[in-house]
């Protein structure tokens, strides 16, 4: 495996770079889109169940199907990385919209009422009180979305653009185990590092959750 | 983009490569993986939840499992073991183990400790506590983990076609190979419908096996 890596370091690095870009841009985009959608699901309770059901159906579309189907809808080329980005953004939105809604709903009513009593208007209350309190739930969802995105990117290799997934298809075609192993290990490592970063960010931005645990 | 492939009656005759035949082979992979995954993950999850030992494994299994790329695992297994049902089954089972294990553990951990103490107090032995109190009460959480496992495996079983095996991925891979988007669309729609139907069946099963006393409190 070491010889494979040293002989193919450029290919592997390029695949890794593409993998990171293709996985993380959708996480960011999907998160930003899911925030207002999740909020609407809480602001208008009748929207909550339709929201969850639509998200469930979106999530059940196989990634491979979405990757090959989006070019038809978007008019992009089949080999355009945009297809992967849009598809993974859709998955992220499907996952995160529900998490954002559940996170906001988990905020104690008394906290919201106290904020209102202190004179917070709806929008400021949302950003200064409700969202920060909901952060642990929302970030837990973000961890799931990030890790599953990183693992899904490789499926794109079946249509020719899949970051580390290209190492899988190459190894499979050549009946050669090294590139497949390298691809799997790097993909898992990448997911682990991304997950760790979110956990560390969460510890940094929600110090009060640790204080509570210390007391209990 | 059109629906001609999906609604062409010729593609619905039960013959090799027809839509019903692909649905059956797809469901076969899904059911085998879910059954095998449950047999492996459920006892482990219950044990960890009941004893509290090894909870580190249960908490981290979820993310570790999700981060394993199924396509890579499948291609690795085919390269090692050759073509057949076994490599598909291994790759898909690895996919379903984490959610089942994690939800079994979380379901039992989420119970009110007072309930478990009460069960011990009335003289139940550890196994009785597990099977007559903890397991039934953990069922709602457990079932939601099982449902998300089922949803994932239905969608992911399509990659079996990438290594030349059957299942609904055939419509996607073959359709793509010959630029027949009508066939690709048919594959995508059938998989999505199958996933929704399976989830409905499991939701119904959940209502049926979860004690009515627990339903009211939800």
């Amino acid at each position: 495996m070491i010889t494979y890596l040293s002989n193919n370091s450029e290919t592997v690095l390029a695949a890794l770079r593409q993998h990171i870009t293709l996985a993380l841009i959708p996480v960011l985009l999907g998160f930003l889109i899911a925030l207002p959608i999740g909020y609407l699901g809480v602001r208008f309770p009748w929207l909550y169940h339709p929201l969850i059901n639509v998200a469930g159906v979106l999530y059940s579309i196989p990634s491979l199907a979405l990757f090959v189907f989006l070019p038809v809808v978007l008019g992009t080329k089949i080999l355009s990385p945009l297809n992967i980005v849009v598809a993974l953004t859709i998955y992220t939105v499907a996952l995160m919209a529900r998490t954002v809604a559940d996170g906001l709903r988990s905020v104690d009513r008394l906290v919201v009422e106290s904020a209102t009593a202190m004179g917070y208007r709806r929008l400021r209350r949302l950003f200064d009180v409700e969202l920060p309190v909901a952060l642990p739930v929302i970030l837990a969802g973000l961890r799931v979305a990030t890790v599953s995105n990183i693992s899904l990117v490789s499926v794109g290799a079946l249509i020719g653009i899949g970051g580390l997934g290209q190492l899988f298809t190459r190894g499979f075609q050549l009946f050669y185990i090294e590139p497949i192993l390298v691809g799997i290990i790097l993909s898992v490592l990448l997911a682990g590092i991304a997950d760790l970063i979110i956990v560390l960010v969460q510890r940094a931005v929600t110090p009060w959750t640790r204080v509570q645990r210390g007391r209990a | 983009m059109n629906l001609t492939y999906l609604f062409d009656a010729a593609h619905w005759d039960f013959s090799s490569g027809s839509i019903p035949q692909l649905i059956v082979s797809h469901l076969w992979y899904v059911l085998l993986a879910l059954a095998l995954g449950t047999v492996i993950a459920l006892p482990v999850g219950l044990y960890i939840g009941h004893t509290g030992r090894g909870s580190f494994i249960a908490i981290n299994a979820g993310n570790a499992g999700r981060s394993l790329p199924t396509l890579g695992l499948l291609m690795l297994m085919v390269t090692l073991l050759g073509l057949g049902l076994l490599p598909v089954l291994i790759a898909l089972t690895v996919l379903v183990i984490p959610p089942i294990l994690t939800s079994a553990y979380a379901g039992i951990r989420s119970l009110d400790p007072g309930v478990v103490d009460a069960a011990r107090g009335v003289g139940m032995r550890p196994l009785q506590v597990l099977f007559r109190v903890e397991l039934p009460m953990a069922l709602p959480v457990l079932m939601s983990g099982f449902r998300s496992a089922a949803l994932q495996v239905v969608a992911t079983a399509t990659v079996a076609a990438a290594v030349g095996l059957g299942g609904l991925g055939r419509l996607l891979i073959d359709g793509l190979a010959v630029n027949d988007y009508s066939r690709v669309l048919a594959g995508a729609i059938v998989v999505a419908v199958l996933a929704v139907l399976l989830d409905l069946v499991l939701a119904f099963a959940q209502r049926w096996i979860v004690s009515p006393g627990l339903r009211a409190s939800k």
Side-chain angles (χ1 to χ4, degrees):
Chain A
M1 213 161 76
I2 309 285
T3 20
Y4 174 82
L5 266 179
S6 59
N7 289 340
N8 297 276
S9 57
E10 269 174 48
T11 325
V12 174
L13 277 181
L16 185 62
R17 258 198 305 276
Q18 191 187 36
H19 204 95
I20 295 174
T21 328
L22 287 180
L24 296 190
I25 294 176
V27 171
L28 210 67
L29 287 178
F31 183 51
L32 292 178
I33 299 171
L35 278 176
I37 297 180
Y39 172 70
L40 286 179
V42 180
R43 176 85 175 76
F44 306 102
W46 55 270
L47 264 176
Y48 181 76
H49 281 285
L51 188 85
I52 281 179
N53 292 333
V54 170
V57 174
L58 280 180
Y59 210 70
S60 68
I61 303 173
S63 49
L64 179 58
L66 208 52
F67 291 161
V68 291
F69 190 62
L70 276 173
V72 188
V73 184
L74 300 173
T76 44
K77 290 216 174 71
I78 182 92
L79 277 174
S80 162
L82 199 63
N83 303 321
I84 312 274
V85 171
V86 174
L88 292 183
T89 304
I90 292 175
Y91 286 132
T92 309
V93 173
L95 205 78
M96 291 303 298
R98 180 189 183 148
T99 314
V100 171
D102 288 346
L104 289 177
R105 279 185 6 155
S106 75
V107 179
D108 192 339
R109 287 320 304 164
L110 283 177
V111 172
V112 181
E113 280 163 24
S114 316
T116 314
M118 286 172 68
Y120 278 95
R121 299 272 169 80
R122 193 189 295 284
L123 213 59
R124 260 201 69 204
R125 193 185 67 205
L126 176 67
F127 283 105
D128 289 359
V129 180
E130 289 169 87
L131 270 179
V133 174
L135 261 184
V137 178
I138 295 176
L139 288 180
L142 193 67
R143 288 174 64 185
V144 175
T146 308
V147 171
S148 67
N149 264 8
I150 290 176
S151 136
L152 275 176
V153 169
S154 55
V155 177
L158 294 178
I159 56 169
I161 359 146
L164 294 167
Q166 279 156 319
L167 302 178
F168 302 156
T169 46
R170 177 165 312 159
F172 180 65
Q173 279 154 5
L174 303 173
F175 224 73
Y176 182 44
I177 201 174
E178 263 78 6
I180 306 184
L181 276 179
V182 169
I184 293 179
I185 292 171
L186 285 179
S187 179
V188 170
L189 273 181
L190 191 61
I193 292 171
D195 196 44
L196 188 68
I197 291 175
I198 301 180
V199 173
L200 292 178
V201 168
Q202 177 171 352
R203 281 176 67 91
V205 297
T206 59
W208 62 88
T209 53
R210 265 172 297 149
V211 174
Q212 269 176 355
R213 210 176 295 150
R215 251 185 238 146
Chain B
M1 177 167 54
N2 60 66
L3 296 170
T4 45
Y5 192 94
L6 186 61
F7 290 123
D8 186 341
H11 299 138
W12 286 89
D13 285 334
F14 199 93
S15 58
S16 177
S18 72
I19 295 177
Q21 192 266 329
L22 292 175
I23 292 177
V24 169
S25 61
H26 198 91
L27 276 179
W28 181 233
Y29 297 154
V30 170
L31 294 181
L32 278 181
L34 280 174
L36 195 61
T38 308
V39 168
I40 297 169
L42 189 59
V44 179
L46 292 180
Y47 176 79
I48 294 176
H50 180 72
T51 61
R53 263 179 250 162
S55 52
F56 180 80
I57 303 174
I59 294 164
N60 290 292
N63 270 324
R66 254 192 296 268
S67 69
L68 266 178
T70 307
L71 181 69
L73 202 57
L74 178 62
M75 289 183 162
L76 180 69
M77 288 303 153
V78 173
T79 314
L80 287 175
L81 305 170
L83 210 55
L85 184 62
L86 191 63
V88 179
L89 205 53
I90 293 176
L92 293 181
T93 304
V94 168
L95 187 74
V96 300
I97 286 177
I100 296 177
L101 196 157
T102 315
S103 64
Y105 163 79
I108 289 190
R109 285 280 113 177
S110 69
L111 296 185
D112 183 347
V115 173
V116 182
D117 283 345
R120 282 203 204 101
V122 297
M124 283 192 180
R125 281 186 292 274
L127 275 185
Q128 284 179 316
V129 175
L130 180 62
F131 287 108
R132 292 172 60 182
V133 178
E134 289 179 315
L135 182 60
M137 291 191 74
L139 265 181
V141 179
L142 186 51
M143 277 303 286
S144 84
F146 188 78
R147 279 166 70 178
S148 76
L151 206 66
Q152 262 184 54
V153 80
V154 169
T156 313
T158 49
V159 299
V163 294
L165 289 159
L168 290 162
R170 283 260 66 87
L171 296 172
L172 304 174
I173 300 269
D174 299 346
L176 184 66
V178 297
N179 276 321
D180 180 0
Y181 278 107
S182 176
R183 195 187 309 185
V184 173
L185 182 62
I189 291 175
V190 175
V191 176
V193 171
L194 203 63
V196 173
L197 286 181
L198 187 66
D199 195 49
L200 278 178
V201 170
L202 288 176
F204 186 76
Q206 184 173 354
R207 283 188 74 87
W208 190 61
I209 61 174
V210 170
S211 153
L214 291 169
R215 215 181 297 148
S217 65
K218 258 195 97 180

